Amino acid sequence: MLSNRVVDRRTALKLAAAGVAAPGLLAASSNAPRLSPRQVPRFAQDLPIPPVLQPERVGGVDAYVVTQREARVQVLPPGLPATPVWGYDGLFPGPTVVATVDRPVRVRQLNRLPQDVSVHLHGSASRPEDDGQPTLPIAPGGERTYHYENAQRGATLWYHDHADMLTSRHVYRGLAGLYLLHDPAEDALGLPSGPFDVPLVLQDRIFDVDGRLVYDDAGGTEVFGDVALVNGAAWPRMTVQARRYRFRVLIASNSRPYLLGLSGGLPMTVVASDSGLLERPVRTTTLQAVMSERYEVVVDFSAVPAGGSVLLQNLAGTGPMRGLLRFDVVRSRGDDSRVPQRLSQIDPLVAAGAPVDRVWRFSHRADGVFVINGRPFDPARVDARPRLGGVEVWELRTEGPGFFHPVHPHLVHFQVLSRDGAPPAPYERGWKDTVFVGEGSVVRIAARFAPHAGVYVLHCHNLVHEDHSMMTQFEVVTT
Ligand code: C2O
Ligand code: CU
């Protein structure tokens, strides 16, 4: 399956119109060979932290302006060439928006790129017209202002491109950034904060020897890099004090799954998932996280002797893709943070054994197209009409061998009820917006369809699958 290039007719037409010829180099003019990951020094550059975007205060709303443009950024360690990217404000990842619960935000997005774009705030209960739907693009030279009410739980959200059939290429080129929705009520918990609250955006990329990104989607199935990036830097290092840190981990890879673990078996305490705080902290040494999932973990480095180091690893990766980031531990200057035994209240949405309202089957059709309930994405079709304010139980099934699918419905936050009849992992028992559905697996989720009516998409968050039609629409209806 990996060798034949699979493109359905709608995709082929769209890609031709967008000037995308074939998989391979994003920069059309290069024939440079691929950069071997062995030529990239590991843990040779400091972990960058994406800058926080500053708003203008306009009539009770925080107003931001972002320009999507091309830029050259130093992703590879100094000494290796800079990389041309498409970035929000020319940054990779984009600038971080720090928003506050119940305080509205608007973001004016200017498209100074040569293709259609669309900006989705992943995890936000946005109105349909502010949701960055693939059907509502911003044309080159155009702009659009998105409104976010932020009337939801505090959480680590992220914004990324969602252009019709171009999402994977655009995100790969750099169009992704963090949106931290802060709940002031959380401050009393005493979790590590300020400089000890650190985002980790995990990605993977292929480079050529000139530093350009190489996009190889293996015939329209998946795109795996051979260089690990954290916050847009290849294999960085970070100096940490021998104390507690809160890390906000975002899996922003297009196709790569992660099984996170720290070297030496140092434990991680999971405090939050996609849609905010868990009810209670979950201590673990391994954490499975797939594309678009967010987990917030507290790591206590106080047991590590000063001068020691700890690797953040992807235990599902091989060779150099196992080690992602090296923490170099120095003496602590004091730590008054803590992890309370109770973080938030999470009430079950449905009773145990609640009946299934809808079934969604995710499969790879014999003709190579990724489909949901047997059909490819059609922007003119709606496959479900949940009622506004109603709760539904959805069963998500993957069929056929070879692929897992992280499933993401827009608008809602859900609870994971079961996986293959068993309870989900303890750290999956909070509110989520993306769930791992493994090969041949059955996952049940429950969601309340609110607060907005209208048409939203449901799709696989392997962005290659999404672009190759594994997307559908539901309409939240009032009657
Ligand atoms: Cu992060 Cu429709 O996706
Ligand atoms: Cu998929």
Side-chain angles (χ1 to χ4, degrees):
M1 263 308 141
L2 294 186
S3 54
N4 40 329
R5 175 164 161 74
V6 176
V7 173
D8 58 286
R9 191 172 151 276
R10 185 170 166 268
T11 310
L13 291 174
K14 177 79 183 191
L15 295 184
V20 177
L25 289 168
L26 288 168
S29 56
S30 171
N31 296 308
R34 287 187 181 187
L35 178 69
S36 161
R38 280 187 294 277
Q39 292 169 259
V40 181
R42 285 151 56 83
F43 317 123
Q45 57 181 333
D46 287 325
L47 176 77
I49 305 294
V52 173
L53 198 60
Q54 293 309 315
E56 226 182 280
R57 191 95 177 123
V58 185
V61 173
D62 290 323
Y64 296 88
V65 184
V66 173
T67 305
Q68 301 183 36
R69 59 181 177 85
E70 300 187 56
R72 290 175 71 83
V73 299
Q74 195 68 41
V75 177
L76 297 167
L80 289 167
T83 297
V85 301
W86 287 8
Y88 294 108
D89 282 348
L91 301 172
F92 175 56
T96 299
V97 173
V98 179
T100 305
V101 169
D102 286 330
R103 183 158 143 167
V105 155
R106 71 167 185 250
V107 184
R108 184 174 165 219
Q109 287 276 358
L110 311 177
N111 179 7
R112 300 296 175 260
L113 293 167
Q115 294 179 358
D116 281 3
V117 297
S118 184
V119 186
H120 173 55
L121 179 53
H122 182 122
S124 165
S126 306
R127 291 179 191 282
E129 60 273 27
D130 293 313
D131 198 40
Q133 313 233 9
T135 47
L136 290 173
I138 312 172
E143 63 171 88
R144 185 177 183 94
T145 298
Y146 296 90
H147 301 83
Y148 307 119
E149 290 165 9
N150 299 318
Q152 58 183 75
R153 303 179 97 225
T156 299
L157 312 184
W158 65 303
Y159 62 101
H160 63 78
D161 190 68
H162 219 301
D164 190 25
M165 288 178 269
L166 294 168
T167 295
S168 184
R169 284 178 168 78
H170 288 180
V171 172
Y172 194 87
R173 288 179 109 140
L175 292 175
L178 287 163
Y179 185 106
L180 308 181
L181 182 51
H182 177 69
D183 183 353
E186 205 190 278
D187 296 344
L189 293 176
L191 293 167
S193 61
F196 309 106
D197 177 350
V198 177
L200 300 177
V201 179
L202 306 187
Q203 294 175 308
D204 54 316
R205 294 291 185 271
I206 302 169
F207 295 85
D208 75 8
V209 294
D210 295 328
R212 291 187 177 86
L213 295 171
V214 176
Y215 184 83
D216 179 353
D217 69 2
T221 53
E222 48 206 9
V223 55
F224 280 98
D226 54 15
V227 174
L229 310 186
V230 187
N231 296 350
W235 286 306
R237 54 173 294 282
M238 179 190 183
T239 300
V240 293
Q241 295 179 29
R243 53 158 288 154
R244 282 183 212 92
Y245 281 76
R246 174 183 186 167
F247 294 110
R248 298 171 185 257
V249 179
L250 159 65
I251 307 299
S253 284
N254 289 33
S255 300
R256 180 180 288 278
Y258 291 73
L259 181 62
L260 298 171
L262 296 166
S263 59
L266 192 68
M268 300 171 279
T269 302
V270 187
V271 295
S273 58
D274 307 338
S275 313
L277 291 171
L278 302 180
E279 191 161 67
R280 294 171 186 285
V282 175
R283 208 172 137 97
T284 183
T285 52
T286 58
L287 173 59
Q288 180 184 268
V290 298
M291 298 84 84
S292 196
E293 284 189 301
R294 285 89 68 210
Y295 282 108
E296 299 180 30
V297 299
V298 173
V299 176
D300 188 351
F301 293 104
S302 65
V304 181
S309 48
V310 174
L311 275 185
L312 174 64
Q313 298 172 304
N314 179 7
L315 303 171
T318 53
M321 293 309 285
R322 239 176 122 81
L324 309 175
L325 164 65
R326 195 182 71 198
F327 297 110
D328 295 332
V329 183
V330 300
R331 201 181 316 228
S332 167
R333 275 175 250 124
D335 185 359
D336 56 5
S337 71
R338 60 197 190 100
V339 180
Q341 273 316 299
R342 190 171 182 88
L343 297 164
S344 74
Q345 181 169 342
I346 295 179
D347 298 320
L349 256 190
V350 294
V356 171
D357 296 291
R358 291 176 212 276
V359 178
W360 300 100
R361 289 171 289 113
F362 295 78
S363 55
H364 189 222
R365 231 165 45 180
D367 61 1
V369 177
F370 289 93
V371 291
I372 302 177
N373 286 352
R375 299 204 277 186
F377 180 58
D378 176 352
R381 196 184 74 237
V382 166
D383 282 335
R385 291 194 164 77
R387 284 174 160 282
L388 180 65
V391 173
E392 295 199 359
V393 174
W394 284 7
E395 185 168 275
L396 314 170
R397 296 178 158 264
T398 60
E399 294 181 338
F403 297 101
F404 73 91
H405 306 288
V407 175
H408 170 52
H410 284 208
L411 178 70
V412 296
H413 303 135
F414 56 75
Q415 294 179 349
V416 184
L417 306 177
S418 64
R419 175 173 290 112
D420 301 318
Y427 47 74
E428 289 183 298
R429 294 181 202 165
W431 288 99
K432 290 184 57 60
D433 59 45
T434 307
V435 66
F436 168 74
V437 189
E439 264 179 70
S441 192
V442 182
V443 171
R444 287 188 183 174
I445 61 173
R448 182 181 305 282
F449 289 79
H452 305 300
V455 176
Y456 292 91
V457 292
L458 158 73
H459 62 86
C460 173
H461 224 288
N462 181 326
L463 300 180
V464 181
H465 298 183
E466 175 188 338
D467 282 347
H468 288 77
S469 299
M470 196 168 252
M471 177 153 66
T472 185
Q473 297 178 117
F474 60 92
E475 182 177 11
V476 180
V477 296
T478 51
T479 49

